[in-house]
Amino acid sequence: MTLALHNTLTRRVEPFAPLAPPRVTLYTCGPTVWNFAHLGNFRTFLFEDLLRRYLEYSGYDVFHIMNLTDVDDRTIKAAAGAGKLLGEHTAPFVQAFFEDRDYLRIKPAHAYPRATESIAAMVRLVERLLERGVAYKGDDGSIYFAIAKFPGYGRLSRLDTRELKVGARVASDEYAKDDPRDFALWKKAEPADEQVGAAWDAPFGRGRPGWHLECSAMSLEQIAKCCGTTTLDIHAGGVDLVFPHHEDEIAQSEAATAQPFARHWLHGEFLNVRGTKMSKRFGNFLTARDLREQGVDAAAVRLLFWQTHYRKALDFTDEALTGAGAGVRRLGEFRARLLGEREKGKGEGEGKLAGLATKFETDFRAALDDDLNAPRACAALFQLVHDGNAALDVGAPGAAVALTVLDRAMEVLDVLPTAKRLDAELRRWIQDRLAARDKARKAKDFKEADRIRAELAARGVEIEDTPSGTKWRLV
RNA sequence: GGCGCCGUAGCCAAGUGGUAAGGCAGAGGUCUGCAAAACCUCUAUUCGUCGGUUCGAUUCCGACCGGCGCCUCCA
């Protein structure tokens, strides 16, 4: 089996083949740092994390680029509203984004180009498009892309067969454009832009980049730098970016380079709340930090998301999140059991567990090879937990192999419970209480034993009596 | 209006032209002083509705109902 991924260009699941294996160039549209990213945004980033990790698991050498949109309509408006300069306003949100990323265990990209630090590349791209005659200066002084000059326009979003909704595109600056569907590459500086420091000089006039231009310029600049190419292997983002954002990126990039911009386009579906997409606009959002403050284990969020295919909308509910949390703990228990066996020196060799693990790995790969079918991969995982536990119950060998295989899969899914921090004092207290309870139990003073158990539970210590003594863990 | 997606158990959710994975929750049992954890058993004769194609459809086609998205610098 080899990896196949859905390609928005063809609307089909296609075998994935990078231009220059094992190198894979991956560009994912990052956050606009005008505010905190919400969980819906992170569903996309998490889907991209799964993609990135599975490519690596499959032996590819991934170069992952994620841009930070730190200048656009919203960042300018937000900065102006806060009476700050653009950079002053966005800096804390960039910081917050990285914190949230780490909380959710998303692997850092190899490059995080920022729009405001890539202006030179954007100016060069606009100049090239002007030279090639596919861009023009509108009556308002802004530079526009002439979609009539780019025959492939609409291929990604199937716009060629669409009709625009009457009135949908009536913008105030429409008179400035040759065709209402033309989009801005470079917007002439307005007083509001100057006020927050969002304007740059360019040969074609002082202004600021359009959002679509930013991604084209940054991705082309980064892959040229890292890999000496002008074509991305994969470009990914949320479904809402298909049109116009990605359509416009293709037009700009391909008109400039005369090369395919991206070979494979992947789009993740929305995170919904009661059937409607989570959005700042609707006010139905939740941020990663909200969950962290509620003490939600990031592993539960990850498992919840993995249990729905990335191309299907997922309704976020507390009940579903709680359920995922229970699954995460069960996985943690299973791994702890395997680890215990290995440490007792009983887990070596082949045997039942090793066989189950091998079977699991085959199923796991087959599932993810099939357009990242993580729900199926999770089903295989829980099958291993179920069968593995049953095998452990009857003392089957092979735990060490199973542990290795499990940990390898966790490199992709990363859904084991977060280890709780424990200081020496708490540890001593727990030992003391357990000893006291043990004494009470031996004396058949179960009332006292249960009282101590409740005392432990009050501080988050769960206990479990086993033939080899009382085990405990923090919850 | 145009383009497109979705509708599977209490909840979440895979999947296939041949008769329904997995998770959570729930019930009973084993184990335990009691618990916990784990295991065993059970929980959709049925996949929005109605037609059609087929030996056979949840899976293909059509219509309808319901929900949603994009067409507005939204992940």
Side-chain angles (χ1 to χ4, degrees):
Chain A
M1 280 294 282
T2 50
L3 178 60
L5 297 170
H6 183 268
N7 190 348
T8 308
L9 274 173
T10 59
R11 311 283 157 116
R12 285 209 167 88
V13 175
E14 300 175 342
F16 171 68
L19 212 49
R23 169 67 94 197
V24 172
T25 48
L26 169 67
Y27 183 88
T28 58
C29 286
T32 300
V33 287
W34 66 290
N35 205 324
F36 296 111
H38 59 66
L39 256 198
N41 301 316
F42 275 107
R43 182 181 182 203
T44 298
F45 302 145
L46 248 355
F47 136 63
E48 292 158 352
D49 186 53
L50 178 71
L51 171 65
R52 149 92 181 269
R53 286 167 178 259
Y54 190 62
L55 286 166
E56 289 176 346
Y57 175 96
S58 301
Y60 290 111
D61 176 15
V62 180
F63 191 83
H64 179 197
I65 304 152
M66 175 177 272
N67 71 291
L68 299 173
T69 300
D70 59 358
V71 51
D72 81 318
D73 286 2
R74 287 182 299 170
T75 44
I76 290 169
K77 198 175 163 194
K84 289 179 175 168
L85 290 174
L86 190 67
E88 290 172 348
H89 178 73
T90 58
F93 294 115
V94 170
Q95 183 58 36
F97 170 69
F98 287 142
E99 285 167 12
D100 291 347
R101 174 200 66 188
D102 293 341
Y103 161 64
L104 290 170
R105 308 184 190 175
I106 294 170
K107 277 186 135 183
H110 300 93
Y112 285 103
R114 299 181 190 207
T116 54
E117 292 171 1
S118 311
I119 299 293
M122 296 172 197
V123 170
R124 283 197 300 276
L125 183 55
V126 173
E127 283 191 292
R128 181 122 54 118
L129 293 170
L130 284 166
E131 281 162 21
R132 303 223 162 167
V134 293
Y136 61 92
K137 184 175 264 193
D139 297 338
D140 61 350
S142 293
I143 309 296
Y144 293 94
F145 185 92
I147 66 162
K149 302 275 178 62
F150 185 73
Y153 194 80
R155 201 157 59 95
L156 183 72
S157 55
R158 311 251 154 135
L159 188 69
D160 40 333
T161 58
R162 294 182 181 206
E163 269 176 36
L164 286 168
K165 180 181 177 182
V166 177
R169 276 260 167 179
V170 179
S172 58
D173 61 351
E174 192 187 320
Y175 67 92
K177 300 188 275 186
D178 292 352
D179 182 317
R181 292 181 302 166
D182 288 350
F183 57 92
L185 296 168
W186 187 262
K187 298 185 167 188
K188 186 187 157 110
E190 301 287 337
D193 303 335
E194 297 287 2
Q195 186 198 321
V196 300
W200 291 265
D201 287 316
F204 37 82
R206 187 168 169 79
R208 62 176 176 96
W211 179 42
H212 315 311
L213 180 79
E214 295 181 6
C215 277
S216 285
M218 286 189 273
S219 57
L220 290 173
E221 180 178 42
Q222 294 295 325
I223 55 172
K225 209 189 285 177
C226 82
C227 315
T229 175
T230 49
T231 298
L232 285 161
D233 287 310
I234 302 176
H235 193 135
V239 270
D240 48 345
L241 300 189
V242 174
F243 186 86
H245 188 54
H246 289 158
E247 195 69 70
D248 292 349
E249 281 188 53
I250 291 172
Q252 296 160 336
S253 306
E254 299 193 354
T257 66
Q259 298 293 322
F261 178 47
R263 296 159 62 80
H264 234 101
W265 286 88
L266 267 65
H267 292 98
E269 256 295 346
F270 288 132
L271 182 66
N272 288 165
V273 178
R274 279 191 278 272
T276 302
K277 76 168 183 172
M278 183 178 284
S279 165
K280 279 271 162 59
R281 196 150 49 95
F282 301 148
N284 61 352
F285 64 93
L286 205 61
T287 63
R289 43 231 306 127
D290 291 335
L291 293 183
R292 194 176 55 189
E293 279 161 21
Q294 288 167 26
V296 172
D297 192 335
V301 179
R302 294 178 67 91
L303 183 62
L304 175 66
F305 287 3
W306 299 164
Q307 284 181 315
T308 300
H309 188 91
Y310 77 89
R311 281 194 291 114
K312 193 174 168 189
L314 161 61
D315 213 63
F316 185 85
T317 63
D318 285 339
E319 195 181 359
L321 182 63
T322 304
V328 161
R329 282 189 293 280
R330 186 159 162 232
L331 288 170
E333 294 293 334
F334 178 60
R335 186 178 184 282
R337 260 187 108 176
L338 291 177
L339 195 61
E341 286 298 298
R342 194 181 66 179
E343 280 169 356
K344 279 189 283 183
K346 284 173 60 189
E348 292 309 316
E350 294 305 306
K352 183 72 174 166
L353 277 162
L356 291 171
T358 304
K359 162 97 166 66
F360 157 69
E361 197 159 49
T362 303
D363 294 344
F364 179 76
R365 299 183 73 125
L368 292 174
D369 274 344
D370 184 12
D371 193 29
L372 299 177
N373 193 329
R376 226 168 81 204
C378 288
L381 177 63
F382 281 102
Q383 200 63 57
L384 173 66
V385 172
H386 183 268
D387 296 346
N389 268 135
L392 284 166
D393 279 355
V394 296
V401 173
L403 186 63
T404 302
V405 169
L406 178 66
D407 285 346
R408 208 181 290 148
M410 285 306 113
E411 284 295 310
V412 179
L413 303 180
D414 202 354
V415 288
L416 257 9
T418 302
K420 292 288 193 306
R421 232 185 290 278
L422 178 70
D423 60 43
E425 192 195 343
L426 180 60
R427 180 181 289 277
R428 239 176 291 126
W429 178 79
I430 292 169
Q431 298 301 352
D432 172 70
R433 293 290 77 197
L434 286 180
R437 178 167 173 275
D438 203 39
K439 201 172 155 194
R441 288 180 72 214
K442 288 220 167 75
K444 301 258 189 259
D445 184 356
F446 296 121
K447 202 173 171 191
E448 171 66 2
D450 290 346
R451 193 192 61 74
I452 295 171
R453 178 160 61 197
E455 201 181 337
L456 284 158
R459 290 185 67 173
V461 184
E462 241 174 35
I463 61 172
E464 183 181 337
D465 296 319
T466 76
S468 53
T470 300
K471 293 199 297 185
W472 60 272
R473 64 181 165 275
L474 291 176
V475 292

